[in-house]
Amino acid sequence: FRPYNRGSKPTPEILRETAAGNPSYQYLAAYLMQAGGFNINSTSEDAWKTVLAALDDAEIETVSGPEAAATGRFALLRVRRPAEKAIDGAVIPTRQNRWQGYRRLSEPQIALLAKEVVKEIRLRGPFLSLADFVNRSIGPEAETTTKGAIQAAIERADINNTMKLDGKELLAADVVLNGYPSAMAGTGNNAIYAPGMISQGDVLSVIGSRITARGDTFRIRGYGEARDSTGSKVLATAWCEAVVQRVPDYVDATDQATIRFTDLNRVNQRFGRRYEIVAFRWLNPREV
């Protein structure tokens, strides 16, 4: 996150106070911008590989000491400081290691997970919010209603084989007698969510701070031409490109950025937040 101080205005004093009951948390979004947000509706496998491999070449601090980065291995941490070292890559991962360590996926595993995530986005998307992306759908019993998109992708990528050694596969027949409203929701390996089992939560703990359901920066291209008096002959043509960014402020600065929609004046209710041109250039016809 980066501070957005709306030009020369200082950060309001209310945001510096920490007294109990202070409502400043309601106004923080008006003074913060996110640098490099990643759109969850992206269907680029390469883009997802990059995001999922965010902890590439990272030394991981564990309770038993630091563990150096491993070439071609990408950590997915459930907790900031795991009790044991990495499970993946160990010659013989012990039971204790599997239940207290953390996962480091290989490049092929990251690529496979990215591929499955993109499949889920094409199946379920576009997502209108982060909640829509993270949560399961509501409806009749199906894969989309029993797990979120990332969890479904993880299970199809089959990257949790190491941990399955310690668990038991529960079938519908094993859980139906327990009165589950959805037998499908109770099936699967009962070691799921152990540290050695990568879950949707593990992935979100790595990428959660940078994902967004929509971007606030847009590239707009325009074209214009001049014709002679008859309108039949083109005398000149031009192409241009502008990069615009949506900011917290409203179009009409009379309303503060923290005001709710229902309390806005008519101009701001109609046009919303303001866009600023952050870059502009003329294009060569060959670039179009």
Side-chain angles (χ1 to χ4, degrees), residues 12-280:
E13 197 64 34
I14 189 173
L15 298 182
R16 299 196 182 107
E17 298 176 4
T18 57
N22 188 297
S24 61
Y25 69 92
Q26 298 177 6
Y27 312 129
L28 287 175
Y31 302 96
L32 288 174
M33 300 284 276
Q34 186 180 37
F38 179 71
N39 196 312
I40 53 174
N41 289 304
S42 170
T43 54
S44 166
E45 290 182 22
D46 286 339
W48 275 103
K49 282 166 58 179
T50 301
V51 171
L52 293 170
L55 291 183
D56 178 24
D57 199 26
E59 179 183 279
I60 305 301
E61 183 66 35
T62 72
V63 173
S64 57
E67 186 167 25
T71 303
R73 289 285 178 178
F74 310 92
L76 284 173
L77 298 179
R78 176 163 305 175
V79 294
R80 182 74 66 173
R81 192 164 179 250
E84 290 286 343
K85 296 186 177 182
I87 301 168
D88 303 89
V91 178
I92 304 177
T94 64
R95 184 182 179 88
Q96 178 177 342
N97 182 246
R98 289 195 296 268
W99 282 86
Q100 298 187 36
Y102 68 95
R103 297 293 303 280
R104 266 182 169 162
L105 297 185
S106 66
E107 191 167 346
Q109 286 176 314
I110 288 287
L112 179 57
L113 180 56
K115 181 177 182 179
E116 295 299 336
V117 169
V118 168
K119 283 184 182 178
E120 287 297 313
I121 294 169
R122 293 187 186 279
L123 172 67
R124 306 181 187 217
F127 301 104
L128 303 182
S129 66
L130 292 184
D132 191 20
F133 174 65
V134 171
N135 297 323
R136 64 185 178 88
S137 303
I138 303 300
E141 188 177 71
E143 186 178 65
T144 56
T145 59
T146 55
K147 63 197 71 170
I150 294 180
Q151 187 63 40
I154 289 170
E155 293 181 15
R156 272 209 313 276
D158 204 20
I159 54 179
N160 286 322
N161 286 330
T162 301
M163 198 64 215
K164 289 181 179 179
L165 297 171
D166 294 327
K168 170 182 168 59
E169 290 295 325
L170 299 177
L171 306 176
D174 298 319
V175 298
V176 71
L177 298 178
N178 294 318
Y180 275 52
S182 170
M184 186 177 182
T187 59
N189 195 285
N190 65 356
I192 193 170
Y193 304 130
M197 279 272 204
I198 289 176
S199 71
Q200 175 170 284
D202 300 335
V203 174
L204 290 173
S205 71
V206 174
I207 72 174
S209 62
R210 72 190 67 186
I211 56 177
T212 179
R214 71 176 192 190
D216 283 320
T217 305
F218 305 88
R219 187 185 309 275
I220 301 172
R221 287 184 169 184
Y223 165 78
E225 63 182 28
R227 293 175 177 264
D228 63 11
S229 58
T230 66
S232 60
K233 183 179 180 180
V234 176
L235 301 177
T237 58
W239 294 262
C240 66
E241 176 184 274
V243 177
V244 299
Q245 184 176 32
R246 180 167 37 209
V247 296
D249 301 320
Y250 289 109
V251 170
D252 181 356
T254 305
D255 287 333
Q256 295 294 311
T258 54
I259 294 179
R260 296 180 181 180
F261 178 83
T262 53
D263 298 328
L264 295 174
N265 62 39
R266 288 186 177 182
V267 172
N268 289 329
Q269 283 192 353
R270 182 175 183 183
F271 296 106
R273 309 286 177 176
R274 192 176 77 240
Y275 285 86
E276 295 182 348
I277 298 176
V278 296
F280 178 88

